[in-house]
Amino acid sequence: NSSYYERLQNLMEEMGGRIYVKPVPGNRTTEEIIRMVVDGDIKYTIADHNIASINQTYYPILDVNTSVSFSQRVAWVVRKNSPILNNKVSKWIKNAKKQSFYNVTYNKYFKNKKSYKRRVKSDFFSKNGGKISKYDDIIKSNAERIGWDWRLLSSLIYQESRFNPTDTAWTGAGGLMQLLPSTANELGLQDLNDPVANVYAGSTYLQKLWNNWEDIPDSTQRLKFVMASYNCGLGHVRDAQRLAELYKDDVLLWDNHVEKYILKLSEQDYYSQPVVRYGFVRGHEPYNYVREIFLRYDHYSKFIPLVPDEKSGLASAAIL
């Protein structure tokens, strides 16, 4: 029995009425059950408020406003005959609260909400002027340097920051390409909010990721592996690839193959597999991230010239 089930039992006694409860298998995580609500498989479920709230940012269809209890304290339980373990855990918690990781995690689950739904068109989009953002020149020069279509890089940057160079995420990632401080240090970037330096460092990092996927023969599929890696980390995408191999899918194709397993890495049955080295990841983030960037890129490609013609302003026949 879960704490949620016990709460419903107590609630029935308090109300003096009947609540019909349909149990699910014990190996289902709370987030998997919430996904069942999103998919329409079930109508309701009970979840901790922080878990429900963070999932609502991914699935706006969710209504998480109905409370079934007052706020409850959360604790770890240790056997009475394990005082050494109890002291170690208490010491660890005390020290952890002093670390930046604790504050980042607390803000992620209890304070900050982040919507991953991005519009297809950017605020600066101009069909007639052939412009996507006021950073077009910076983006074009870096896209050319790494061999990308500048409109695709623009779509990725919009997904990350909506072209806001001062945007800062709960992780500490910042700037147009939302680089983590650790990645910025690795790339020699000192000011995350400097558009020129940020796009240079971010595109350099994309090129490094591109080199990590040299075994992917199709360039479009390779780009999708790169983008997923940029979003959730190379290790998690490698895990999804290993799962694809385990279940006899094509490890060199993102679409309808490896992308299925990046989604499954949020399910215990899959992230607990021996081939998975980096554990749980919110798979719908990289899954939607790749899809939305390419959807926006397709839109840009229809209206924005790749290379403007000097006389007419129309796209030339050049293709990167």
Side-chain angles (χ1 to χ4, degrees), residues 165-169 171-181 189 192-193 198:
T166 62
D167 188 30
T168 302
T171 57
L176 288 173
M177 297 191 68
Q178 291 293 285
L179 292 168
L180 286 165
L189 175 61
L192 284 170
N193 296 331
N198 189 284

Side-chain angles (χ1 to χ4, degrees), residues 40-91:
D41 297 331
I42 58 176
K43 291 185 176 181
Y44 315 100
T45 190
I46 304 293
D48 290 337
H49 184 264
N50 61 301
I51 298 176
S53 294
I54 196 66
N55 274 274
Q56 188 190 40
T57 67
Y58 309 134
Y59 307 116
I61 194 175
L62 292 173
D63 179 353
V64 300
N65 294 321
T66 303
S67 300
V68 295
S69 75
F70 295 110
S71 296
Q72 306 289 321
R73 295 183 65 85
V74 178
W76 285 358
V77 177
V78 179
R79 292 194 307 272
K80 290 183 179 180
N81 61 351
S82 300
I84 296 176
L85 175 60
N86 183 59
N87 290 336
K88 289 286 186 181
V89 170
S90 298
K91 184 177 180 181

Side-chain angles (χ1 to χ4, degrees), residues 28-285:
R28 293 267 188 165
T29 65
T30 301
E31 292 193 332
E32 287 178 62
I33 300 171
I34 291 175
R35 183 58 186 265
M36 291 171 67
V37 176
V38 173
D39 293 339
D41 297 331
I42 58 176
K43 291 185 176 181
Y44 315 100
T45 190
I46 304 293
D48 290 337
H49 184 264
N50 61 301
I51 298 176
S53 294
I54 196 66
N55 274 274
Q56 188 190 40
T57 67
Y58 309 134
Y59 307 116
I61 194 175
L62 292 173
D63 179 353
V64 300
N65 294 321
T66 303
S67 300
V68 295
S69 75
F70 295 110
S71 296
Q72 306 289 321
R73 295 183 65 85
V74 178
W76 285 358
V77 177
V78 179
R79 292 194 307 272
K80 290 183 179 180
N81 61 351
S82 300
I84 296 176
L85 175 60
N86 183 59
N87 290 336
K88 289 286 186 181
V89 170
S90 298
K91 184 177 180 181
W92 179 83
I93 293 173
K94 184 177 180 179
N95 291 334
K97 287 185 176 181
K98 299 176 183 178
Q99 306 299 317
S100 59
F101 175 78
Y102 170 83
N103 295 309
V104 166
T105 305
Y106 182 85
N107 288 338
K108 173 184 177 182
Y109 287 101
F110 289 89
K111 289 186 177 180
N112 297 340
K113 288 186 177 182
K114 179 175 180 180
S115 173
Y116 288 86
K117 188 66 177 177
R118 305 301 196 188
R119 293 177 316 201
V120 169
K121 296 201 317 182
S122 73
D123 296 332
F124 300 94
F125 175 77
S126 171
K127 178 178 176 180
N128 295 324
K131 302 287 187 181
I132 294 178
S133 80
K134 62 182 179 181
Y135 304 105
D136 283 0
D137 290 340
I138 298 171
I139 295 170
K140 285 178 181 178
S141 64
N142 282 282
E144 182 178 5
R145 181 172 62 87
I146 66 173
W148 279 41
D149 184 326
W150 73 276
R151 298 166 300 182
L152 181 62
L153 183 56
S154 293
S155 183
L156 183 147
I157 291 173
Y158 181 76
Q159 189 79 10
E160 289 289 344
S161 66
R162 299 195 183 191
F163 299 122
N164 178 3
T166 62
D167 188 30
T168 302
W170 55 264
T171 57
L176 288 173
M177 297 191 68
Q178 291 293 285
L179 292 168
L180 286 165
S182 57
T183 306
N185 290 334
E186 179 185 335
L187 297 168
L189 175 61
Q190 297 180 344
D191 183 2
L192 284 170
N193 296 331
D194 179 349
V196 175
N198 189 284
V199 176
Y200 182 89
S203 55
T204 297
Y205 184 56
L206 285 172
Q207 184 62 40
K208 287 187 174 183
L209 290 172
W210 174 267
N211 294 336
N212 273 284
W213 293 107
E214 60 184 0
D215 58 328
I216 308 295
D218 182 272
S219 60
T220 300
Q221 294 299 307
R222 187 173 176 181
L223 282 169
K224 292 182 178 183
F225 278 89
V226 169
M227 289 181 182
S229 303
Y230 192 88
N231 177 262
C232 70
L234 181 65
H236 289 304
V237 182
R238 293 287 192 197
D239 278 345
Q241 195 179 41
R242 283 188 284 268
L243 280 173
E245 182 178 20
L246 181 66
Y247 290 97
K248 310 302 182 185
D249 268 304
D250 193 331
V251 300
L252 302 179
L253 290 178
W254 178 260
D255 294 334
N256 300 314
H257 288 268
V258 176
E259 69 173 353
K260 293 191 303 185
Y261 297 95
I262 203 73
L263 281 172
K264 291 181 182 298
L265 280 171
S266 63
E267 301 175 20
Q268 187 176 18
D269 287 346
Y270 291 91
Y271 69 70
S272 61
Q273 292 280 353
V275 299
V276 175
R277 300 173 187 173
Y278 294 89
F280 171 89
V281 67
R282 297 181 189 279
H284 47 267
E285 290 182 29

